[in-house]
């Protein structure tokens, strides 16, 4: 057993977000604000015309992110228990820490230290039943003295217990 007063949360394998595994239809919308964390030395190498083009491209990316993205994703039992954790052996990727994983709420802290810029934040998913999920993520990207915030909302609808050609964790943009 865990000693009394120990602050480490104990998760039993059977406690997890109460949703169906399989193929999900997902819609995300993202809002970005702040300055893109681009290395100043990279910008300094560019001509004023090139710099203007890079900034225009970043503005377009930020505007495009605000449009809803629709995709299907294969969700596995393992992902639900581990909070959609990525490969722990890949140090450049992100580590997810499950803060809460109950039948109705999954909250995950995500930290990407190996990347440049660095990302961190939280994702919260709520089950409205075994076939419907809503959620949001609040992420911050920092690097080169600049900070950018990335807020996303997500809604998901269960389609099928069969993922077809998609492997667990894989997604495919809707046509």
């Amino acid at each position: 057993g865990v000693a009394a007063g120990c602050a480490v949360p104990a998760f039993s394998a059977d406690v997890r977000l109460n949703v169906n595994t399989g193929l999900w239809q997902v819609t995300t919308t993202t809002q970005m604000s702040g300055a893109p964390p681009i290395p100043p030395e990279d910008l300094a190498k560019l001509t004023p015309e090139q710099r203007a083009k890079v900034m225009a491209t970043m503005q377009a990316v930020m505007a495009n992110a605000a449009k809803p993205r629709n995709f299907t994703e294969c969700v596995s039992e393992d992902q639900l228990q581990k909070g959609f954790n990525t490969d722990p052996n890949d140090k450049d990727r992100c580590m997810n820490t499950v803060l809460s994983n109950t039948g109705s709420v999954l909250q995950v802290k995500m930290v990407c230290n190996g990347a440049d810029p660095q990302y961190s934040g939280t994702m919260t998913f709520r089950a409205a039943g075994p076939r419907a999920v809503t959620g949001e993520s609040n992420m911050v990207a920092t690097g080169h003295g600049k900070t950018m915030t990335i807020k996303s909302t997500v809604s998901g609808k269960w389609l099928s217990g069969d993922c077809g050609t998609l492997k667990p964790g894989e997604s495919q943009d809707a046509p």
Side-chain angles (χ1 to χ4, degrees):
V2 177
C6 184
V8 178
F11 294 108
S12 106
D14 59 358
V15 173
R16 68 150 178 86
L17 196 63
N18 184 21
V19 295
N20 294 344
T21 56
L23 195 63
W24 282 77
Q25 168 90 39
V26 182
T27 301
T28 60
T29 307
T30 303
Q31 291 175 323
M32 299 180 185
S33 59
I38 300 169
E41 58 273 18
D42 288 1
L43 287 176
K45 291 177 195 161
L46 304 175
T47 65
E49 292 81 14
Q50 289 172 319
R51 204 172 6 248
K53 203 176 268 188
V54 166
M55 295 321 269
T57 301
M58 285 306 301
Q59 293 294 331
V61 166
M62 289 167 78
N64 193 45
K67 294 181 186 138
R69 177 181 170 231
N70 294 298
F71 58 97
T72 51
E73 181 167 359
C74 183
V75 176
S76 70
E77 181 67 36
D78 196 45
Q79 283 179 294
L80 289 170
Q81 286 186 4
K82 293 181 178 169
F84 299 98
N85 213 345
T86 56
D87 181 358
N89 299 319
D90 188 349
K91 298 294 180 228
D92 288 342
R93 303 258 327 259
C94 305
M95 276 307 300
N96 294 347
T97 306
V98 176
L99 302 176
S100 170
N101 198 356
T102 67
S104 57
V105 177
L106 169 61
Q107 188 169 44
V108 178
K109 179 178 181 180
M110 185 161 104
V111 178
C112 311
N113 282 327
D116 182 22
Q118 297 185 341
Y119 289 87
S120 65
T122 57
M123 298 177 290
T124 306
F125 302 97
R126 292 175 195 83
R131 296 170 177 231
V133 169
T134 59
E136 68 273 337
S137 75
N138 291 294
M139 303 298 293
V140 176
T142 54
H144 315 289
K146 296 182 172 74
T147 300
M148 185 174 194
T149 60
I150 305 153
K151 292 178 188 274
S152 300
T153 60
V154 61
S155 64
K157 183 175 72 173
W158 182 78
L159 298 176
S160 164
D162 179 5
C163 286
T165 58
L166 291 179
K167 294 179 180 65
E170 282 187 340
S171 62
Q172 181 178 345
D173 281 344

